[in-house]
Amino acid sequence: YFNPLTDVWRQVWVAPGYSIDISGSLMDVSMELVGTISYHNDAAYDFRGTWTPNDDGSVRQFFEQYNLETENWDVWFDGRYVKRE
């Protein structure tokens, strides 16, 4: 959801096994949200998502989770949304 008082987007997901809580705003042409993913085994990790419009009108949704062992960002989800006709 978008909070017009803070000018911040926030997304909260609760799913079997994990929950995601990220927030942020538009950066250039992409919406970038950062926060945490918490697994039900009490492990929590840095998490970020980016939504970027493509030239064909579709939108790329790209999620990454920080890997403490490798100190790198691992791809968590990479999807493409297309408007229905």
Side-chain angles (χ1 to χ4, degrees), residues 7 14 20 26 37-38 40-41 44-45 51 56 62-63 65 67 72 76 78 80 82-83 85:
D7 202 32
V14 178
I20 298 170
L26 293 175
I37 183 168
S38 300
H40 293 247
N41 65 359
Y45 302 93
W51 290 258
D56 66 0
F62 186 67
F63 286 163
Q65 176 182 310
N67 185 323
N72 290 308
W76 193 86
D78 192 357
R80 182 173 168 255
V82 179
K83 185 176 180 179
E85 297 295 323

Side-chain angles (χ1 to χ4, degrees), residues 13-40:
W13 289 0
V14 178
Y18 67 91
S19 62
I20 298 170
D21 190 345
I22 53 178
S23 61
S25 60
L26 293 175
M27 306 292 289
D28 296 320
V29 297
S30 298
M31 181 172 64
E32 298 178 10
L33 308 182
V34 297
T36 58
I37 183 168
S38 300
Y39 292 95
H40 293 247

